[in-house]
């Protein structure tokens, strides 16, 4: 059995962080940490070295687009799933251009989260 991929959850909403923690497939992903801002995410990313990141876009201190750029600069092979209520096309394209590989719109259920994470790691 393959070792679970290390996952960092980034969202300013405690409710969404807990929803992702409860809803992910624990056989494939191990939650190694969570962050409530882009700034905190970059700090935790450097110490936890996750393989997968779920990323909100609207956060205090540093938004998700800027955070994606910084994480990809640190580890180009990281897989990033944007989880956001901002579902307009321009925002999605901006996130993908910075290095995200997937986009999941809020609100979501456990099944949609599972499908999006599995597609992300293919």
């Amino acid at each position: 059995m393959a070792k679970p991929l290390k996952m960092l959850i980034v969202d300013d909403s405690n409710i969404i962080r807990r929803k992702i923690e409860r809803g992910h497939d624990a056989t494939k992903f191990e939650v190694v940490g969570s962050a409530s801002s882009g700034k905190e995410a970059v700090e935790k990313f450097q110490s936890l070295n996750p393989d997968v990141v779920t990323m909100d876009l609207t956060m205090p201190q540093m938004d998700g687009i800027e955070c994606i750029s910084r994480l990809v600069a640190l580890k180009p092979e990281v897989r990033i799933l944007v989880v956001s209520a901002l579902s307009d096309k321009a925002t999605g394209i901006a996130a993908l251009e910075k290095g995200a590989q997937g986009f999941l719109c809020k609100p979501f259920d456990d099944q949609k989260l599972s499908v999006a994470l599995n597609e992300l790691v293919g």
Side-chain angles (χ1 to χ4, degrees):
M1 189 167 158
K3 189 175 173 183
L5 296 169
K6 295 190 295 183
M7 184 165 72
L8 176 66
I9 299 169
V10 183
D11 200 299
D12 63 342
S13 165
N14 187 42
I15 293 169
I16 296 297
R17 291 195 308 271
R18 296 240 185 266
K19 183 173 176 62
I20 294 171
E21 279 181 36
R22 287 191 313 264
H24 76 283
D25 182 348
T27 63
K28 292 186 178 177
F29 303 97
E30 174 193 5
V31 176
V32 294
S34 63
S36 60
S37 72
K39 183 174 183 261
E40 183 183 7
V42 171
E43 292 168 2
K44 289 195 172 182
F45 187 87
Q46 292 172 308
S47 63
L48 299 171
N49 192 29
D51 306 298
V52 175
V53 176
T54 66
M55 178 68 65
D56 190 12
L57 292 181
T58 307
M59 296 181 292
Q61 296 176 319
M62 178 193 305
D63 69 19
I65 300 291
E66 175 66 23
C67 189
I68 290 168
S69 294
R70 294 195 185 195
L71 299 187
V72 170
L74 292 168
K75 185 177 180 180
E77 68 273 21
V78 67
R79 309 295 288 179
I80 299 174
L81 175 66
V82 173
V83 181
S84 177
L86 298 176
S87 60
D88 68 276
K89 192 173 182 179
T91 303
I93 290 171
L96 294 172
E97 286 176 348
K98 296 295 182 183
Q101 292 88 19
F103 198 103
L104 177 62
C105 292
K106 295 177 185 172
F108 59 89
D109 59 26
D110 290 351
Q111 184 176 0
K112 287 181 180 174
L113 175 66
S114 179
V115 168
L117 284 171
N118 285 326
E119 287 178 354
L120 183 73
V121 298

